[in-house]
Amino acid sequence: DGDGNMRLWFPVLTGLGRLVGNDPRVELRSRAMEELFGVLRAHGGSFSEEMWLLVYQGVLYPIFDDVIHMGEVSDTEWLRTTCGPAMQALTSVFCLHFAATNGLLDLHLSLLSKCVVHTNETVAETGVSNVRRLLSESGAGLKRDHWGVVCDVMREMFDRSGPLSDEELSGEGSVEGRLARVVARHRVRMMLFQLVQDMCWDHAERIGSQNILRFLNLLGSTQHSTMARSFASVDDNKEALGQLGATQYLQMVYAESAEASRSELRFMFSVYSNSEDDADKASDVAVALETRLMDRAEEVLNKYTGLDRELKSLSRNASSGGGAGGHAPPA
């Protein structure tokens, strides 16, 4: 019995966890990781939720402490050889024993969220890939309140991994370094959008009407925030990123705005193709989606009609010798 032998289990697991997180020898870290997660795979099914909580807080979470709580982390040997495999093994064990661990979903997603929003791209990509793994392996077993937790954490991920602010763009470091951060953040954001699209397509019928609308609000607000930044001009960011970098930055923001809209639309179509058993709830969601779709279509038409007028005005000014400045997104 797992809990009955807690005094025996905990020192063993703690010792293995410390080796995985701190030992400088990669071979020993790998062996310790194999043994640690082997024990959890074999015996974790007999652990209560209380014991799993102790294991998370005292053994598993501390493995990633140094990475999670440091702002700038270089690509160390530990990141290259241990971080990804350890996180993957942890997520797999969590999913394997989901009947016992599901009460810790918020704790596990919180760890993954801290990775996703990390400044180091390797750590961020590790976080996104493990959120995907979690939803792929355990999504079918998530209940409506679990999906509410997923939505809360996804909002935090999007909020904290948005396009770099003006302060971040003009911060310390070289132009090349700032542009590298912009590109890394963009790649992670695009991975998040793809994750949301796949999640909605696979699990729309399980998420529930209330959470469906919450996810749509998340995607809508994300689309608005990225679109707002896309109306800056190249000159606004030229000093921070250089002429070419500023142009690349705005192109990436355009791409994120388009991907947010694409994710929102795909979510809507997923819901339509996966109606709920409760006809009344399905009808309520359908009405909300139809209204939202019409509003979004009108918004896009108005936006680009306005851009068309602005471009024609700029063209007339340029042809008459008045000059033109600013920047508008491509059609």
Side-chain angles (χ1 to χ4, degrees), residues 3 27-28 60 76 100 109 126 163 184 218-219 240 245 275 285 294 312:
D3 287 15
E27 296 84 0
L28 188 55
L60 301 174
T76 63
L109 282 173
T126 295
L218 165 61
L219 292 171
S275 59
V285 172
M294 294 298 293
K312 288 178 179 177

Side-chain angles (χ1 to χ4, degrees), residues 306-320 323-324:
L307 285 173
D308 182 61
R309 287 195 297 267
E310 182 178 347
L311 286 171
K312 288 178 179 177
S313 175
L314 290 171
S315 178
R316 285 194 299 270
N317 290 339
S319 62
S320 64

Side-chain angles (χ1 to χ4, degrees), residues 270-289:
S270 299
V271 173
Y272 268 111
S273 62
N274 294 282
S275 59
E276 292 187 311
D277 294 334
D278 189 327
D280 291 334
K281 285 185 178 180
S283 177
D284 290 342
V285 172
V287 170
L289 292 183

Side-chain angles (χ1 to χ4, degrees), residues 85 112 189 268 282:
L112 298 183
R189 294 268 294 178
M268 292 183 192

Side-chain angles (χ1 to χ4, degrees), residues 98-319:
F98 191 69
T101 61
N102 70 87
L104 306 179
L105 179 65
D106 57 341
L107 186 63
H108 188 60
L109 282 173
S110 174
L111 174 61
L112 298 183
S113 176
K114 288 182 174 67
C115 292
V116 170
V117 303
H118 203 281
T119 55
N120 183 283
E121 188 177 359
T122 300
V123 178
E125 291 183 355
T126 295
V128 176
S129 65
N130 277 277
V131 175
R132 179 180 291 279
R133 176 181 297 274
L134 172 63
L135 296 178
S136 174
E137 296 185 13
S138 297
L142 297 184
K143 298 178 181 178
R144 298 291 165 80
D145 56 339
H146 292 142
W147 283 111
V149 173
V150 173
C151 184
D152 289 339
V153 175
M154 291 294 290
R155 174 170 289 280
E156 180 183 1
M157 291 179 192
F158 274 104
D159 287 346
R160 296 182 58 193
S161 65
L164 294 181
S165 66
D166 293 335
E167 291 75 15
E168 290 173 307
L169 285 172
S170 59
E172 296 181 358
S174 65
V175 169
E176 292 76 12
R178 287 194 289 269
L179 184 57
R181 291 198 296 273
V182 167
V183 173
R185 182 77 64 90
H186 170 71
R187 280 198 287 257
V188 171
R189 294 268 294 178
M190 297 300 278
M191 290 175 65
L192 279 176
F193 284 125
Q194 188 60 54
L195 171 62
V196 171
Q197 291 185 45
D198 294 343
M199 176 191 71
C200 299
W201 196 256
D202 294 339
H203 303 292
E205 76 280 9
R206 303 184 182 95
I207 293 174
S209 56
Q210 182 178 2
N211 289 323
I212 284 171
L213 296 177
R214 292 179 64 200
F215 275 114
L216 287 172
N217 288 334
L218 165 61
L219 292 171
S221 62
T222 300
Q223 194 270 343
H224 280 297
S225 64
T226 53
M227 180 59 87
R229 292 196 66 79
S230 73
F231 282 92
S233 72
V234 171
D235 288 340
D236 291 336
N237 300 309
K238 187 164 60 176
E239 182 177 350
L241 299 174
Q243 178 73 29
L244 180 60
T247 303
Q248 290 176 333
Y249 172 65
L250 290 180
Q251 288 172 341
M252 287 183 280
V253 174
Y254 299 149
E256 290 179 22
S257 180
E259 197 65 25
S261 295
R262 187 179 297 113
S263 299
E264 187 178 15
L265 289 171
R266 191 176 183 192
F267 203 156
M268 292 183 192
F269 293 135
S270 299
V271 173
Y272 268 111
S273 62
N274 294 282
S275 59
E276 292 187 311
D277 294 334
D278 189 327
D280 291 334
K281 285 185 178 180
S283 177
D284 290 342
V285 172
V287 170
L289 292 183
E290 289 171 5
T291 302
R292 190 183 195 95
L293 185 57
M294 294 298 293
D295 290 344
R296 182 67 71 240
E298 182 179 2
E299 177 184 323
V300 171
L301 286 173
N302 288 336
K303 180 76 71 177
Y304 282 92
T305 299
L307 285 173
D308 182 61
R309 287 195 297 267
E310 182 178 347
L311 286 171
K312 288 178 179 177
S313 175
L314 290 171
S315 178
R316 285 194 299 270
N317 290 339
S319 62

Side-chain angles (χ1 to χ4, degrees), residues 89-103:
L90 172 55
T91 299
S92 294
V93 165
F94 182 90
C95 295
L96 176 65
H97 300 304
F98 191 69
T101 61
N102 70 87

